[in-house]
């Protein structure tokens, strides 16, 4: 490999030897094309004309007046397919095309990454197969239908907890057998090098835009940037625009599930310990013997027992703070943004909204300027939320 893929001691490559040539090929292609003029002109075209960039930085006036802070929402939910995931899938999909790959596989939890991969497969003319845990297939039926309409084959995974972790396991097994012709399009800043570096690169457009937009609107940087963290792609995307600005507080919000004091949680950085999962060294939820524990969150996208290695580095260096929001609090955030701003957020984003409300209510934070990354929209979660609220639809 040309670079180590380490963030401090975190990251690296922990995969079967058979995959090393494929990762070396991917790293070489990424380093070659990330600064290539033709590649970037084509990617910029698709990001603007297909995905709908730039996204707005919206001033949430009603919520701001209620809470006594200035709250801005980075509207990644307005992108084609409804989430920030399209930024990375366009980048990796185009890279797969430049590498001459004939097939793309992916995994998905909430379905947003699966949809984004399915549509870029249609766009670029590359067949797509998506692994998805059976439990997630059931709670995200609408997204499964959208993937299939876009021509992708959805493969239900019935092993383990039948969620994102198990979908990733099966996607890796597939890739081991098909590395010569297949690109594995990982959707978050996790996995072996070069994935954490590459996904952050393709998502960093969120941070660049946000920085420019807040300077235009406020004439200064925000006091805090808040984003949800599952694997960590939307949060690293927006954090990347402010990592060098020590005066900007960076807050990652994990899926607390029933609470970090219980075993039903997805808060890896808040409750996990150092370990290896899906090819990299980071924080994981594990038992005393090192066996991976099942994660839990009402949000399928945060229901993952690992986290990207750069988040582990940001945690131990203190550059970012990580907190947990429970299912109940996330649902309150979901309702609050819907009621006060007419914006229905994804359950993943609802965790960030709920923490922003907590943050704004603290006396020491009155009057501060807060940016919340609204990473996705809530259409996909409507049936689940209705059920949680006891409403029949």
């Amino acid at each position: 490999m040309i670079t180590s893929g380490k963030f401090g001691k975190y990251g690296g490559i922990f995969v079967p030897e058979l995959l090393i040539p494929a990762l070396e090929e991917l790293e070489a292609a990424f380093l070659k094309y990330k600064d290539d003029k033709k590649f970037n002109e084509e990617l910029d075209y698709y990001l603007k004309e297909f995905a709908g960039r730039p996204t707005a930085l919206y001033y949430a006036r009603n919520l701001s007046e209620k809470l006594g802070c200035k709250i801005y929402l980075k509207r990644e939910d307005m992108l084609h397919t409804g989430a920030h995931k399209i930024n990375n899938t366009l980048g990796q999909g185009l890279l797969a095309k430049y590498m001459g790959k004939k097939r793309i596989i992916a995994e998905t939890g909430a379905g947003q990454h699966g949809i984004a991969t399915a549509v870029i497969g249609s766009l670029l003319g590359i067949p797509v197969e998506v692994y998805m845990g059976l439990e997630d297939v059931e709670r995200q039926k609408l997204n499964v239908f959208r993937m299939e309409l876009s021509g992708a084959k959805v493969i239900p995974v019935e092993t383990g907890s039948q969620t994102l972790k198990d979908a990733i396991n099966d996607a890796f097994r597939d890739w081991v057998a098909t590395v010569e012709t297949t690109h594995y399009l990982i959707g978050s800043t996790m996995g072996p090098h070069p994935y954490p570096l590459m996904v952050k690169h393709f998502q960093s457009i969120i941070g660049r835009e946000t920085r420019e937009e807040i300077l235009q609107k406020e004439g200064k940087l925000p006091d805090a940037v808040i984003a949800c963290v599952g694997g960590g792609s939307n949060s690293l995307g927006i954090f990347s625009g402010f990592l060098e600005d020590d005066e900007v507080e960076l807050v990652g919000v994990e899926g607390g599930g029933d609470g970090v004091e219980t075993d039903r949680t997805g808060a890896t950085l808040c409750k996990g310990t150092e370990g290896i999962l899906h090819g990299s060294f980071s924080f994981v939820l594990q038992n005393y013997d090192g066996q991976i524990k099942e994660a839990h969150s009402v949000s399928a996208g945060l229901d993952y027992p690992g986290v990207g290695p750069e988040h582990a580095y940001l945690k131990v260096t203190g550059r970012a703070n990580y907190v947990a929001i429970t299912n109940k609090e996330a649902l309150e955030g979901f309702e609050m943004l819907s009621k006060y701003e007419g914006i229905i957020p994804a359950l993943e984003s609802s965790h960030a909204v709920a923490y922003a409300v907590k943050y704004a209510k603290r006396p020491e934070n009155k009057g501060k300027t807060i940016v919340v990354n609204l990473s996705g929209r809530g259409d996909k979660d409507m049936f689940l939320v209705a059920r949680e609220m006891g409403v029949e639809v």
Side-chain angles (χ1 to χ4, degrees), residues 191-211:
H193 174 68
Y195 283 104
L197 191 68
M198 183 169 60
V199 176
K200 177 190 173 185
H201 173 79
F202 289 130
Q203 293 292 4
S204 63
I205 192 169
I206 307 172
R208 290 198 302 275
E209 281 183 11
T210 304
R211 186 184 177 88

Side-chain angles (χ1 to χ4, degrees), residues 6 35 38 69 90 97 100 120 187 249 262 311 337 349 390:
K6 291 287 189 67
D35 297 318
K38 179 175 178 293
C69 283
L90 278 172
K97 177 184 167 185
I120 66 97
E249 186 177 354
T262 74
H311 279 296
L337 195 64
S349 308

Side-chain angles (χ1 to χ4, degrees), residues 101 105 183 199 304 358:
K101 298 296 181 183
I105 58 170
H183 174 65
V199 176
Y304 180 58
K358 271 188 169 182

Side-chain angles (χ1 to χ4, degrees), residues 259-334:
V260 293
E261 71 282 2
T262 74
D263 281 335
R264 284 173 53 81
T265 181
T268 307
L269 288 161
C270 293
K271 191 172 183 180
T273 52
E274 292 177 344
I276 294 171
L277 179 63
H278 295 140
S280 70
F281 180 58
S282 184
F283 277 69
V284 297
L285 296 173
Q286 58 189 331
N287 64 21
Y288 182 77
D289 296 322
Q291 297 297 309
I292 300 301
K293 298 171 70 173
E294 290 185 8
H296 167 73
S297 170
V298 70
S299 161
L302 305 185
D303 195 357
Y304 180 58
V307 67
E310 189 168 356
H311 279 296
Y313 176 72
L314 294 176
K315 170 187 167 70
V316 299
T317 58
R319 180 62 192 94
N321 299 320
Y322 295 90
V323 298
I325 283 291
T326 66
N327 291 341
K328 181 175 181 293
E329 291 170 327
L331 289 164
E332 290 170 355
F334 183 97

Side-chain angles (χ1 to χ4, degrees), residues 6-79:
K6 291 287 189 67
F7 305 92
K9 65 179 180 179
Y10 301 103
I13 302 172
F14 298 88
V15 297
E17 192 173 343
L18 188 62
L19 282 180
I20 297 297
L23 292 170
E24 289 176 336
E25 178 192 25
L26 181 59
E27 184 202 41
F30 169 62
L31 294 176
K32 175 182 178 182
Y33 289 116
K34 76 181 183 64
D35 297 318
D36 180 81
K37 182 179 178 184
K38 179 175 178 293
F39 179 88
N40 283 308
E41 284 178 350
E42 194 170 353
L43 178 58
D44 289 345
Y45 170 79
Y46 286 129
L47 286 169
K48 180 181 178 183
E49 302 292 338
F50 185 73
R53 301 209 74 90
T55 59
L57 184 67
Y58 174 72
Y59 178 56
R61 183 178 304 280
N62 296 334
L63 203 58
S64 297
E65 290 177 354
K66 178 176 177 59
L67 298 171
C69 283
K70 283 189 170 180
I71 298 179
Y72 285 89
L73 306 173
K74 181 57 175 168
R75 297 294 308 275
E76 294 294 294
D77 60 312
M78 296 298 287
L79 286 169

Side-chain angles (χ1 to χ4, degrees), residues 68-368:
C69 283
K70 283 189 170 180
I71 298 179
Y72 285 89
L73 306 173
K74 181 57 175 168
R75 297 294 308 275
E76 294 294 294
D77 60 312
M78 296 298 287
L79 286 169
H80 177 45
T81 71
H84 74 291
K85 294 292 188 182
I86 193 74
N87 304 321
N88 171 56
T89 55
L90 278 172
Q92 282 197 53
L94 204 55
L95 193 60
K97 177 184 167 185
Y98 274 58
M99 293 169 68
K101 298 296 181 183
K102 305 299 183 188
R103 174 177 176 256
I104 290 175
I105 58 170
E107 87 296 323
T108 193
Q112 289 169 319
H113 173 57
I115 291 171
T117 307
V119 301
I120 66 97
S122 299
L123 177 72
L124 301 175
I126 305 175
V128 169
E129 295 184 24
V130 180
Y131 288 89
M132 191 171 188
L134 186 61
E135 181 174 326
D136 291 335
V137 168
E138 290 297 319
R139 57 181 171 178
Q140 300 291 344
K141 288 180 180 176
L142 181 59
N143 276 348
V144 172
F145 184 53
R146 292 172 68 191
M147 283 183 260
E148 291 173 340
L149 275 179
S150 298
K153 180 182 178 182
V154 178
I155 304 171
V157 175
E158 301 182 29
T159 55
S161 59
Q162 303 182 348
T163 58
L164 180 59
K165 169 178 69 71
D166 310 291
I168 295 172
N169 289 341
D170 275 22
F172 266 115
R173 291 189 189 100
D174 183 321
W175 199 33
V176 166
T178 61
V179 289
E180 290 187 2
T181 58
T182 299
H183 174 65
Y184 179 14
L185 206 164
I186 290 182
S188 196
T189 53
M190 39 72 68
H193 174 68
Y195 283 104
L197 191 68
M198 183 169 60
V199 176
K200 177 190 173 185
H201 173 79
F202 289 130
Q203 293 292 4
S204 63
I205 192 169
I206 307 172
R208 290 198 302 275
E209 281 183 11
T210 304
R211 186 184 177 88
E212 291 176 10
E213 290 164 337
I214 196 70
L215 286 172
Q216 281 183 351
K217 291 175 183 292
E218 289 289 328
K220 67 181 185 68
L221 296 176
D223 295 297
V225 175
I226 299 173
C228 66
V229 179
S233 65
N234 91 87
S235 43
L236 272 181
I238 194 165
F239 287 179
S240 66
F242 304 95
L243 283 173
E244 306 304 319
D245 305 302
D246 291 340
E247 70 273 27
V248 179
E249 186 177 354
L250 305 177
V251 185
V253 186
E254 296 191 292
D258 291 343
V260 293
E261 71 282 2
T262 74
D263 281 335
R264 284 173 53 81
T265 181
T268 307
L269 288 161
C270 293
K271 191 172 183 180
T273 52
E274 292 177 344
I276 294 171
L277 179 63
H278 295 140
S280 70
F281 180 58
S282 184
F283 277 69
V284 297
L285 296 173
Q286 58 189 331
N287 64 21
Y288 182 77
D289 296 322
Q291 297 297 309
I292 300 301
K293 298 171 70 173
E294 290 185 8
H296 167 73
S297 170
V298 70
S299 161
L302 305 185
D303 195 357
Y304 180 58
V307 67
E310 189 168 356
H311 279 296
Y313 176 72
L314 294 176
K315 170 187 167 70
V316 299
T317 58
R319 180 62 192 94
N321 299 320
Y322 295 90
V323 298
I325 283 291
T326 66
N327 291 341
K328 181 175 181 293
E329 291 170 327
L331 289 164
E332 290 170 355
F334 183 97
E335 287 188 69
M336 195 166 190
L337 195 64
S338 304
K339 177 179 178 181
Y340 284 100
E341 296 292 343
I343 298 172
I344 301 174
L347 277 174
E348 290 80 4
S349 308
S350 299
H351 286 71
V353 172
Y355 185 74
V357 171
K358 271 188 169 182
Y359 182 94
K361 283 181 177 178
R362 292 176 189 149
E364 67 271 24
N365 292 331
K366 289 297 177 192
K368 286 190 173 180

